[in-house]
Amino acid sequence: SLFTCGHWKNWVLSFDDVDHPYGDEDEAALEAEVNGNWTPQEKALHEARLKAKAKRRVRKSSSRSESLSESLSGELADGDSYSSKGKVPVPNDRKSRTGKGRGLPKKGGAGGKGVWGAAGMVYEVEEPDVKDPNYDEVAQGDTVYATVVPEVDERELEKTVNPIVREYFEHGDTKEVQMLLKELNLGHHKYEFSSLAVSLSLEGKASHRELTSRLLRDLVGKVLSESDMARAFDKILKELPDLMLDTPEAPQMLGQFIARAIADHALPMAFLDRYKGKVDCDHARAALDRAAVLLSMKREMVRLDNVWGVGGGLRPVKHLVKEMNFLLKEYLVSGEVKEAERCLRDLEVPHFHHELVYEAVVMVLESKGDTAVKMCKLLQAFWKIGLITVDQMNRGFQRVYDELPEINLDVPHAHSIMESFTDLCYQESVITKQLRDSCPSRGRKRFVSEGDGGLIKN
């Protein structure tokens, strides 16, 4: 019986289909032997033939040139017996039919039905693979969802940081900048935020530099460390020659930034010491010398709050009024219109220029000499270059008009001085005719002529 296609089938072979152990010549030889007609030589030759034929039969049965399936299919197709081809199939034979095997067991002896690996093999606990087709997400326990923010690429860093800094120059809220930076994953490039902010402020106004110094102070300890700030200033010192192409005053400004940062405890105190005798660039040396000079000066305030001057609407009103008074007094002494213009621009309060007009007119009322002519010349210069607008000019004069009765208590001739000054300003095209006509005039008591007996007319 043979095992074919998973079923046992009985094959009945006829006697004619059986491969006889002897051929026709052998049968004749057997008959001759039976009759006793063999010679010893024939008998020896006959035995040699039998041995050779037996060897050939064994060699054919052990041949591995064809697989068991091929032999079975060949027998089914041709109807020949297994013995006709010289093959004796062995049931459950697991040897290779290709003849290319090394004679080793499959899978190192770890294969087979009901076998889980080789003997003595210990399996470790494996983590579930997400790519496994049988992976079940629900069976893995609690699922934790987290937002992964990719690190900002160095090439995209400037495009990401510049809008944040420019928007900060408008609102001045350092907490909002901190929140935006925490949402970004700057990675090991976070120190470059400080260098980019300082570089942008060098191209801007004094108020921008003041805001940048405050931002650096508030970021240290929350978003950046002192070492990050030191790396940022190291980078700016190396890029200083390139920054001077757009901002020639960059070394002096950078020195002020360093001094302010050290005073605000944003930079370590030893930052300047590690550069002593190690700087080859003249521009970097000038910046460090500027910082050292500012830190060595004796100041009443612990921080160098006025290192960028007084500017912007973030300063107190009283402080701005004081600065404008000082500006006008300095102009009366020096008479330099250009210097006064520069100081007024540095204050960066165009919405508060009406205070300058107000203070200038009050000084004319309270002083004597050629003050009115000088002030008219100054207002005319500011009017022509557009530094003081029509609205600010009208508002400043109108404030004086409203307070003229109170000023008259200290200055008895305030009304007459005011009328003459407005006429002068109108002649120089500083104010409009409508503004001149709206100047208040004090109602005076008029005396009768001498012929009326000295009586006062009502």
Side-chain angles (χ1 to χ4, degrees):
S1 58
L2 297 176
F3 182 78
T4 306
C5 301
H7 301 282
W8 290 94
K9 292 184 178 181
N10 295 325
W11 295 79
V12 180
L13 305 177
S14 64
F15 181 78
D16 296 336
D17 297 330
V18 177
D19 187 11
H20 298 283
Y22 305 106
D24 296 336
E25 296 179 358
D26 296 334
E27 291 178 358
L30 287 174
E31 292 178 0
E33 183 181 5
V34 172
N35 298 329
N37 297 328
W38 271 12
T39 62
Q41 291 80 5
E42 292 176 349
K43 189 176 181 179
L45 180 61
H46 177 67
E47 291 178 356
R49 288 177 179 176
L50 291 177
K51 291 181 181 180
K53 193 169 185 179
K55 289 182 180 180
R56 288 197 300 270
R57 185 179 296 110
V58 172
R59 193 179 299 115
K60 287 182 180 181
S61 63
S62 62
S63 176
R64 299 179 180 178
S65 61
E66 296 181 1
S67 62
L68 179 60
S69 60
E70 293 177 350
S71 66
L72 292 177
S73 61
E75 289 298 326
L76 291 174
D78 301 334
D80 296 337
S81 63
Y82 293 101
S83 59
S84 64
K85 291 190 176 183
K87 297 180 182 179
V88 180
V90 181
N92 300 329
D93 186 13
R94 295 188 178 183
K95 294 182 180 180
S96 174
R97 301 299 190 274
T98 62
K100 297 181 181 180
R102 296 181 297 167
L104 300 177
K106 292 182 179 181
K107 300 181 181 179
K113 184 177 180 181
V115 178
W116 287 21
M121 183 179 294
V122 180
Y123 291 93
E124 299 179 354
V125 179
E126 296 183 0
E127 295 294 333
D129 188 5
V130 180
K131 299 181 180 180
D132 190 353
N134 298 325
Y135 177 79
D136 187 5
E137 184 179 359
V138 179
Q140 305 307 320
D142 297 335
T143 303
V144 179
Y145 296 94
T147 303
V148 179
V149 181
E151 183 176 346
V152 178
D153 189 24
E154 186 177 3
R155 293 172 294 181
E156 301 293 332
L157 181 63
E158 187 173 354
K159 296 180 181 179
T160 306
V161 170
N162 283 359
I164 298 176
V165 177
R166 294 187 184 280
E167 186 178 357
Y168 167 70
F169 288 159
E170 299 295 331
H171 58 71
D173 189 359
T174 59
K175 293 183 179 180
E176 183 175 349
V177 178
Q178 294 176 19
M179 180 183 65
L180 293 175
L181 291 181
K182 289 180 180 179
E183 294 177 356
L184 295 175
N185 184 10
L186 298 179
H188 58 282
H189 298 295
K190 62 180 180 179
Y191 74 94
E192 295 188 17
F193 174 82
S194 303
S195 61
L196 289 173
V198 173
S199 300
L200 287 176
S201 64
L202 292 178
E203 301 174 1
K205 306 176 183 178
S207 60
H208 294 169
R209 294 186 282 274
E210 174 64 25
L211 290 172
T212 304
S213 294
R214 295 184 185 182
L215 179 62
L216 299 182
R217 178 193 65 196
D218 294 343
L219 289 181
V220 172
K222 298 178 182 178
V223 180
L224 303 175
S225 61
E226 290 187 359
S227 59
D228 294 331
M229 203 66 66
R231 290 182 63 187
F233 278 100
D234 290 339
K235 181 180 179 182
I236 300 173
L237 286 172
K238 294 178 181 179
E239 298 176 351
L240 197 54
D242 297 333
L243 294 175
M244 290 185 63
L245 298 177
D246 298 328
T247 310
E249 302 85 4
Q252 291 74 23
M253 293 181 180
L254 183 57
Q256 294 175 201
F257 264 116
I258 295 174
R260 176 69 178 271
I262 293 176
D264 290 342
H265 304 288
L267 273 177
M269 296 296 295
F271 181 79
L272 295 177
D273 296 337
R274 66 183 186 181
Y275 276 103
K276 288 183 177 179
K278 301 179 182 179
V279 182
D280 298 331
C281 179
D282 296 335
H283 305 302
R285 189 182 300 109
L288 295 172
D289 292 342
R290 173 67 172 168
V293 170
L294 290 174
L295 291 172
S296 63
M297 294 175 61
K298 295 182 179 180
R299 293 177 176 268
E300 297 180 359
M301 301 177 64
V302 177
R303 297 172 180 169
L304 302 176
D305 285 341
N306 294 330
V307 70
W308 301 117
V310 180
L314 302 177
R315 293 294 183 177
V317 175
K318 292 183 179 179
H319 203 90
L320 292 175
V321 172
K322 182 179 179 181
E323 288 295 323
M324 288 185 176
N325 273 320
F326 181 76
L327 182 155
L328 293 173
K329 291 178 180 179
E330 185 178 1
Y331 164 71
L332 291 176
V333 174
S334 63
E336 297 181 1
V337 178
K338 291 292 184 181
E339 181 66 18
E341 176 188 348
R342 186 190 64 80
C343 294
L344 184 60
R345 290 185 184 276
D346 290 343
L347 292 178
E348 298 178 11
V349 283
H351 59 281
F352 201 59
H353 286 175
H354 61 85
E355 180 66 26
L356 179 74
V357 178
Y358 171 81
E359 296 293 337
V361 176
V362 172
M363 283 188 179
V364 171
L365 298 178
E366 294 178 351
S367 60
K368 299 178 182 179
D370 59 347
T371 304
V373 178
K374 289 184 177 181
M375 287 300 180
C376 183
K377 180 181 178 181
L378 180 65
L379 295 177
Q380 182 186 22
F382 289 168
W383 166 263
K384 287 183 178 180
I385 63 177
L387 188 57
I388 298 181
T389 61
V390 179
D391 179 66
Q392 296 294 318
M393 190 73 73
N394 294 342
R395 189 175 177 183
F397 271 90
Q398 193 62 46
R399 286 179 58 191
V400 180
Y401 293 168
D402 297 338
E403 298 180 7
L404 197 56
E406 298 179 2
I407 298 175
N408 190 63
L409 298 177
D410 298 329
V411 183
H413 303 286
H415 283 83
S416 59
I417 298 174
M418 188 68 196
E419 290 178 359
S420 60
F421 184 67
T422 53
D423 291 337
L424 178 61
C425 291
Y426 175 71
Q427 293 175 4
E428 298 295 335
S429 301
V430 178
I431 61 176
T432 61
K433 183 176 183 298
Q434 183 180 1
L435 184 60
R436 186 201 64 172
D437 295 340
S438 61
C439 177
S441 58
R442 183 177 60 177
R444 296 178 297 172
K445 294 182 180 181
R446 303 186 63 181
F447 292 89
V448 296
S449 61
E450 296 180 353
D452 294 334
L455 299 177
I456 299 176
K457 290 185 177 181
N458 293 327

